[in-house]
Amino acid sequence: STTSTVVADKTLSTPSSVGHPQPAIVYSHVGKRFGRTVVLEDIDLSVDTAETICLLGPSGSGKSTLLRCTNLLEVPDRGQISIHGQVITDKGADVDGIRTRVGMVFQRFNLFPHCSVLENVTMALRAVHNKRREEAVAIARSKLELVGLDHLRDRRPAQLSGGQQQRVAIARALAMNPEVMLFDEATSALDPELVGEVLDVMRDLAKQGMTMVVVTHQMRFAKEVASRVVFLDHGHLLEIAPPEEFFENPRSERLQLFLKRVL
Ligand code: ADP
Ligand code: MG
């Protein structure tokens, strides 16, 4: 891994780097506008490896845009983002390479309807990672196992519940062996009784040490799983704190008001 390289290389090994592995994601002065609308303003945030950050904020506050900038679905027009020490926002960045390092799960699962569950997961392994069929199948089945769906691998997406389809979408992202996973309201399109199974998979991933940035309206998930919770408001990172502090002791009036509405 990058961390062990740094520690092994004496010229880079300073006392401060030992025991302080490089952060997984660093946002530095990130700004984004659409036309005249400022959507993100001077975002500074460092996400440690194996951390789960939950991103909360009113509709239109910039949550999706921040996630989309993290895998270059949008390009910030100010500042920098780096993933495990590598700046991804410079001109000429390897966009496809970065998208396989940074997995993303959306509200809508976007599975290919005419393909089986297994094919949905192997497709990118074959096309992007050039895996041979047997190897792609082995990787895909291990990820389907992880989300509890290997036994349904021959079904079509339409033969699955929404919660199962979203778990397939998670398996598909995991198959690329990402360093970071982004979740943009991954449970918002699901019937209430199907939300839990998807949150359980996300909770397991967090426990296993995946680095995650999660936009969610599930406050209990944020309280139980997040290492830190971030509040975005009008494109500003207004507060960041461990969940106990975030929910028990919100500092700004805007966060107090937001929590009053959602809790
Ligand atoms: P959130 O996910 O917090 O609801 P978004 O990041 O989706 O917020 O959007 C933040 C703001 O940026 C909103 O005002 C939205 O209308 C605007 N916006 C998002 N994407 C685009 C786009 N492609 N073009 C123009 N405006 C956009
Ligand atoms: Mg959004």
Side-chain angles (χ1 to χ4, degrees):
S1 78
T2 332
T3 308
S4 57
T5 314
V6 170
V7 174
D9 183 344
K10 292 275 192 310
T11 61
L12 294 176
S13 180
T14 62
S16 66
S17 74
V18 176
H20 293 277
Q22 200 175 42
I25 315 173
V26 177
Y27 301 90
S28 171
H29 301 298
V30 170
K32 177 74 180 169
R33 294 165 185 241
F34 290 112
R36 282 205 196 151
T37 315
V38 177
V39 175
L40 294 173
E41 176 99 342
D42 205 28
I43 301 292
D44 279 319
L45 172 63
S46 178
V47 180
D48 284 334
T49 300
E51 242 198 306
T52 294
I53 296 278
C54 281
L55 206 52
L56 308 186
S59 176
S61 57
K63 304 181 297 294
S64 294
T65 303
L66 187 61
L67 288 194
R68 292 166 63 81
C69 284
T70 314
N71 73 351
L72 298 182
L73 286 174
E74 303 285 357
V75 181
D77 36 41
R78 289 167 155 250
Q80 264 193 352
I81 302 174
S82 51
I83 305 290
H84 286 122
Q86 191 197 342
V87 177
I88 64 164
T89 42
D90 284 349
K91 282 209 176 77
D94 168 16
V95 173
D96 290 336
I98 287 152
R99 292 211 184 123
T100 72
R101 293 172 62 194
V102 181
M104 185 147 172
V105 175
F106 302 87
Q107 188 171 332
R108 293 265 154 225
F109 346 112
N110 304 317
L111 300 176
F112 291 103
H114 54 285
C115 294
S116 71
V117 163
L118 184 66
E119 286 163 345
N120 265 283
V121 183
T122 56
M123 201 173 297
L125 285 165
R126 307 261 288 139
V128 181
H129 282 189
N130 292 313
K131 301 282 187 195
R132 293 189 4 260
R133 184 175 154 71
E134 305 79 75
E135 199 189 345
V137 168
I139 294 168
R141 288 193 57 183
S142 75
K143 300 309 175 189
L144 285 168
E145 186 93 49
L146 212 67
V147 302
L149 290 176
D150 185 47
H151 62 297
L152 301 182
R153 64 186 174 279
D154 293 326
R155 292 212 186 160
R156 297 287 152 108
Q159 297 171 295
L160 302 183
S161 72
Q164 289 170 332
Q165 289 183 52
Q166 189 60 296
R167 285 151 63 197
V168 174
I170 294 171
R172 180 178 57 181
L174 291 175
M176 305 310 282
N177 199 22
E179 294 161 49
V180 167
M181 284 284 282
L182 312 173
F183 293 87
D184 195 357
E185 301 197 28
T187 62
S188 294
L190 300 175
D191 290 335
E193 75 271 22
L194 304 176
V195 167
E197 63 189 72
V198 174
L199 293 180
D200 285 346
V201 166
M202 292 166 63
R203 191 179 278 118
D204 285 349
L205 274 181
K207 275 194 199 135
Q208 288 162 26
M210 176 61 77
T211 305
M212 318 212 296
V213 183
V214 179
V215 173
T216 186
H217 299 297
Q218 300 289 328
M219 296 299 145
R220 212 180 81 187
F221 180 87
K223 280 181 188 172
E224 291 174 2
V225 181
S227 44
R228 291 182 294 163
V229 185
V230 166
F231 181 57
L232 272 191
D233 188 59
H234 293 294
H236 291 89
L237 196 161
L238 222 55
E239 295 203 29
I240 176 163
E244 317 77 60
E245 192 181 326
F246 185 94
F247 289 104
E248 300 304 324
N249 194 15
R251 289 164 195 216
S252 64
E253 229 169 275
R254 297 207 70 99
L255 178 54
Q256 289 163 13
L257 194 65
F258 176 81
L259 291 176
K260 212 177 274 177
R261 284 189 188 137
V262 297
L263 286 177

